[in-house]
């Protein structure tokens, strides 16, 4: 049987692979991209958000999340929960209705689409006859009322979506009870709003766009009251006792109407333009909330003066003499108010306002004086400033974790302390096994620290590097300050701010040492900041040093942006990570690679011109190395240069064409006569056959020319304590890989601790390796005598890793975009390689070492390479034998930004951006899996309105 098995096929290994590797996309972190609709269930205390791509997401208490996707991928226009049910209805822009349910399946619950329906009119009727504009789920839970553009209201049965034609409310039937002069002057037109009477379910309020409002009796199919508005209607809202309702209008006014028991023509009690008398924007939605002290809360969207504030996105809250117009930095999609939903409660007593803006979710505490914002535990606006880089750190020590949280809590003193008000369902997921941090660098020079341990990506702390530099904006400016007499009383809320004071502030690389608390951050203008954690505010001078990466080169002139100007004298920093030294690269190009060794107190940095090493304990440079090739003129233009070298691109294209022609002529001219040609061809065919027998089909990969641009671009830096000079003595070393396939190795002499401040760190170049195919080097790794990757700095000192094996021979793994190659150390002779591009036709974009544990036993785990390619595939490759274990499709190959943003974790998970505001989380491991696990209570409604607990439902979970 052995000869029938595929070469390398091992049944035992195949079983082990099933215990180690499994691909799952588990949860989406962040804020939904392009939200379009909002819904809320006071009964379930769950919130629903719909998007333009057809996604629908439900949120409750932290950790309670559900997600569904409409097959049509159309925009979700409206979301309505069915009263007292675990069901909701969505309306899409193709006029289709969809019924969703939270249902139990296989012992777990999931959000499922039950039915879909499109309202159709009689043959030959225009589309407007059935174009749905308003949806009202009736409290009987049996029917939906659907208002349309034609003014007709259709009734459909739930859950079948069967149209009850005999119960249709036509515009003609409504107009029969309206005064003749009004019906002639204003037709019904489209239905703008449908509202059920809060005390009488047999009556519904119908609002038409031209201003007509009627109260319709469902039992007798007739109008009982009509209200003649003079302005275009936007929305309606019933007051709690049903004696009054409020209408809001296009001219920025709202009107309060009484509903009497007799049939007298009602006159408006109050008509008010809050921000008049000048022309105002429409008030598109309004709440009138009663309180125990008698003063109502009036909350409305819009209404601002058009001339001065027409570009503002505002929601105003009025309570007695208090009035604030909350100003949002992005368009308001919708909002709702959380208030007492108990049927026996006499007053609304609102507690919070939840606002869905286009770029963030904002919750306002209406119980606390000053109406502060509530810090959200999920739906974080990741892109409040555009994300420029990411860095993940696993298994954070408890002490560092607590210090980061403490620093973050001092930043959040202006937030409300009220519990999160959207608290439906119960999170029953086990506590995360470890504390993980995801650090994101942003365009405005900030670094945000996120708790990535569980389902909710929660902001712990925000670090700003702006204070070190002189910018146009003063960091002490307060955008929220208001003058006492300012009108309208605007107050800026939310964190979304897409504008950067200076694009040079952008963070490009981050490296955090979790054991020492040192943090290195590098930016767009060649700035490298080294920081340490301080629990108290402090004021000190930041030391400056320059690293001239072109010091030995002549004739080069930097054409890009200037370096950032720094502040002179002491700078005040708040508690948290505080910079103590700034290294400025010259030219001030983007920092492309960064490495920090906290035990040796060294930081290495690389740009498109070279790399350098800095001693941050003595605060002095150790060395710089220029990697610039004479042809690397593009490297001197900088990323912010508007002028691209078109001539150079054309020149390089013509050179390639010329080289290919010359080489083809040489191949043709190298053989003299026909017999020699035949012999040469025969020999070629024979050699080719032998190669085919020895190796699989390989694509021909031409070696890249040294003249290709950016060959000196430093892609990776790596510290290692290994054998570089000879096999008897190991020493600290620094390795650098470039875009041109060159690897540099430097021996370092780090003085012992007792003489560390007295003697300088010395460096000497020991090796230089040039890969023949000249592909960019994207990863460097040293394996010890047990073929195990070397531990992180200070990891052994904290008893979290075994000491590396220094008895056996070490190996060097160099990962380029096209292949993996293992060299022996210290001789640097080739030992093993795996060609990726030649075999697969893809290139390596990201690579990291990940530890995979078996789901069957805690006694077995192994280190493998997790590799992301330019095709969006993830491959797991074994160490040290470089055998492909498994391949998973993960990201669409067209999603270049998603591939570029991907970051792997140490234990086989990963994150990548599926939109500017959302991370998709995935897992490659059977053991480490983070997914929602929750219970949603299903109350049982009886005739006397008492609520009984029925059962719990679990969200779908894959258990390790």
């Amino acid at each position: 049987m052995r000869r029938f098995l595929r070469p390398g096929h091992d049944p035992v290994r195949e079983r082990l692979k099933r215990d180690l590797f499994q691909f799952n996309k588990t949860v989406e972190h962040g804020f939904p991209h392009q939200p379009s609709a909002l819904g809320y269930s006071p009964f379930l205390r769950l919130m629903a958000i719909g998007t333009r791509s057809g996604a629908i997401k439900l949120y409750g208490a932290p950790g309670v999340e559900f997600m569904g996707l409409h097959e049509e991928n159309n925009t979700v226009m409206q979301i309505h929960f069915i009263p007292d049910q675990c069901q909701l209805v969505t309306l899409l822009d193709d006029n289709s209705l969809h019924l969703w349910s939270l249902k139990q399946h296989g012992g777990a619950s999931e959000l499922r689409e039950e039915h879909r329906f499109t309202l159709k009119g009689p043959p030959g009727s225009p589309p407007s006859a059935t174009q749905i504009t308003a949806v009202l789920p009736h409290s009987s839970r049996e029917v939906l009322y659907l208002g349309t553009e034609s003014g007709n209201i259709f009734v459909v049965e739930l859950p079948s979506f069967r149209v009850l034609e005999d119960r249709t409310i036509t515009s003609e039937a409504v107009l029969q009870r309206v005064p003749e002069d009004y019906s002639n002057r204003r037709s019904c037109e489209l239905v703008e709003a449908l509202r059920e009477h809060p005390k009488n379910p047999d009556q519904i309020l119908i609002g038409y766009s031209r201003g007509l409002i009627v109260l319709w009796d469902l039992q007798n199919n007739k109008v009982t009251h009509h209200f003649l508005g003079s302005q275009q209607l936007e929305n309606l809202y019933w007051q709690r006792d049903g004696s009054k309702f409020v209408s809001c209008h296009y001219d920025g006014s709202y009107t309060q109407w009484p509903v009497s028991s007799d049939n007298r023509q009602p006159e408006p009690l109050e008509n008010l333009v809050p921000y008049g008398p000048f022309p105002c924007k429409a008030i598109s939605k309004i709440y009138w909330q009663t309180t125990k002290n008698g003063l109502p809360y009036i909350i409305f969207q819009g209404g601002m003066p058009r001339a001065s504030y027409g570009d503002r996105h505002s929601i105003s809250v009025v309570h007695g003499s208090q009035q604030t117009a909350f100003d949002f930095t992005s368009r308001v999609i919708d909002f709702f108010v959380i208030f007492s939903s108990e049927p026996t409660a006499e007053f609304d007593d609102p507690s919070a306002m939840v606002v869905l803006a286009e770029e963030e979710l904002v919750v306002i505490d209406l119980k606390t004086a000053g109406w502060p914002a509530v810090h959200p535990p999920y739906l974080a606006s990741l892109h409040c400033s555009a994300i420029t880089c990411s860095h993940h750190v696993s298994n954070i020590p408890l002490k560092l974790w607590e210090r980061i949280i403490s620093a973050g809590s001092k930043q959040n003193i202006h937030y409300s302390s009220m519990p999160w008000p959207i608290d439906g369902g119960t999170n029953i997921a086990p506590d995360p096994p470890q504390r993980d941090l995801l650090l994101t660098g942003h365009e405005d020079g900030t670094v945000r620290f996120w708790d990535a341990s569980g389902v909710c990506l929660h902001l712990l702390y925000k670090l700003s590097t702006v204070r070190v530099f002189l910018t146009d904006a003063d960091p002490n400016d307060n955008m929220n300050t208001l003058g006492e007499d300012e009108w309208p009383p605007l107050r800026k809320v939310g964190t979304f701010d897409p504008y950067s004071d200076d694009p040079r502030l952008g963070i490009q690389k981050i490296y955090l040492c979790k054991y020492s608390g040192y943090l290195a951050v590098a930016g767009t203008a060649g700035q490298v900041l080294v920081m340490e954690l301080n629990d108290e505010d402090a004021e000190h001078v930041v030391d400056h040093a320059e690293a001239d990466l072109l010091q030995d080169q002549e004739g080069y002139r930097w054409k890009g942006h200037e370096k950032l100007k720094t502040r002179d004298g002491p700078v005040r920093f708040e508690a948290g990570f505080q910079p103590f030294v700034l290294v400025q690269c010259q030219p001030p190009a983007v920092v492309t690679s960064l490495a920090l060794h906290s035990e040796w107190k060294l930081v290495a940095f690389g740009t498109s011109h070279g790399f350098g090493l800095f001693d941050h304990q003595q605060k002095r440079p150790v060395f710089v190395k220029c990697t610039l090739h004479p042809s690397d003129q593009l490297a001197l233009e900088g990323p912010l240069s508007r002028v691209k070298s078109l001539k150079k691109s054309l020149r390089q294209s013509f050179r390639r064409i010329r080289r290919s022609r010359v080489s083809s002529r040489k191949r043709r001219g190298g053989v003299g006569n026909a017999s020699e040609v035949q012999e040469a061809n025969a020999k070629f065919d024979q050699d080719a056959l032998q190669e085919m027998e020895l190796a699989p089909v390989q694509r021909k990969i031409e070696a890249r020319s040294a003249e290709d641009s950016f060959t000196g671009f430093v892609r990776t830096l790596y510290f290692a304590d290994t054998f570089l000079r000879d096999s008897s003595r190991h020493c600290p070393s620094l390795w650098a890989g470039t875009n041109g396939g060159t690897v540099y190795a430097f021996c370092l002499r780090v003085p012992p601790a007792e003489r560390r401040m007295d003697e300088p760190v010395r460096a000497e170049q020991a090796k230089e390796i040039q890969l023949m195919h000249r592909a960019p080097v994207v990863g460097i790794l040293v394996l010890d005598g047990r073929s195990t990757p070397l531990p992180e700095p200070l990891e052994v000192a904290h008893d979290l890793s075994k000491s590396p094996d220094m008895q056996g021979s070490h190996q060097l793994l160099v990962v380029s975009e096209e292949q993996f190659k293992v060299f022996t150390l210290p001789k640097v002779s080739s030992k093993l390689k795996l060609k990726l591009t030649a075999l697969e036709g893809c290139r390596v974009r990201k690579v990291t070492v990940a530890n995979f544990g078996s789901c069957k036993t805690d006694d077995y785990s192994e280190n493998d390479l997790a590799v992301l390619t330019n095709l969006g595939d993830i491959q797991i490759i074994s160490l040290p034998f470089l055998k492909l274990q498994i391949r998973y499709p993960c990201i669409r190959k067209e999603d270049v930004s998603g591939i570029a943003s991907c970051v792997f974790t140490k234990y086989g998970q990963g994150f990548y951006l599926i939109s500017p505001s959302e991370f998709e989380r995935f897992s490659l491991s059977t053991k480490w899996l983070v997914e929602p696990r929750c219970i949603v209570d299903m109350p049982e409604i009886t005739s006397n309105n008492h609520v009984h607990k029925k059962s719990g439902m679990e969200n779908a979970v894959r258990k390790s």
Side-chain angles (χ1 to χ4, degrees), residues 15 52 134 431 469 522 738 886:
R15 282 197 300 272
R52 290 190 204 171
D431 291 335
F469 305 103
T738 73
I886 203 157

Side-chain angles (χ1 to χ4, degrees), residues 128-142:
S128 62
T130 53
Q131 185 68 44
I132 300 170
T133 56
V135 179
L136 172 64
H138 195 261
S139 60
S140 65
R141 307 184 293 279
E142 295 174 353

Side-chain angles (χ1 to χ4, degrees), residues 41-46 81-87 102 141 341-342 424-426 935-943 945-953:
S41 169
F43 174 70
L44 298 174
R45 299 183 71 84
L46 292 179
F81 281 87
I82 308 301
D84 303 335
Q85 293 289 305
C86 278
Q87 290 183 315
L102 283 168
R141 307 184 293 279
S341 58
E342 290 293 326
T426 307
I935 289 178
V936 176
D937 292 322
M938 289 282 290
E940 185 177 286
I941 309 299
T942 60
S943 57
N945 287 332
H946 288 295
V947 178
H948 302 285
K949 301 291 181 184
K950 184 179 179 184
S951 64
M953 301 196 306

Side-chain angles (χ1 to χ4, degrees), residues 706-723:
E707 294 182 6
D708 286 353
S709 295
F710 291 110
T711 56
F713 186 116
V714 180
R715 294 285 291 267
T716 184
L717 291 163
Y718 177 70
F719 285 108
D721 187 356
T722 187
F723 301 92

Side-chain angles (χ1 to χ4, degrees), residues 265-342:
Q265 170 62 34
E267 294 293 330
L269 294 174
E270 179 185 30
N271 190 319
L272 186 67
V273 183
Y275 295 113
F278 303 106
C280 294
K281 292 174 67 176
I283 294 179
S284 56
K285 190 171 184 178
I286 191 166
Y287 279 80
W288 187 291
Q289 302 276 277
T290 57
T291 61
K292 292 175 184 175
N293 64 8
L295 294 173
Y297 276 86
I298 307 167
I299 304 170
F300 55 89
Q301 177 184 345
M304 283 281 158
R306 286 186 182 275
S308 304
Y309 301 94
D311 59 341
R312 299 297 182 98
H313 315 287
S314 69
I315 294 178
S316 299
V317 180
V318 182
H319 180 56
S321 60
Q322 290 178 272
Q323 182 166 346
T324 299
F326 294 99
D327 184 18
F328 300 86
T329 54
S330 59
R331 183 171 62 93
V332 174
I333 304 297
D334 200 355
F335 77 100
F336 61 84
V337 176
I338 298 176
F339 56 91
S340 175
S341 58
E342 290 293 326

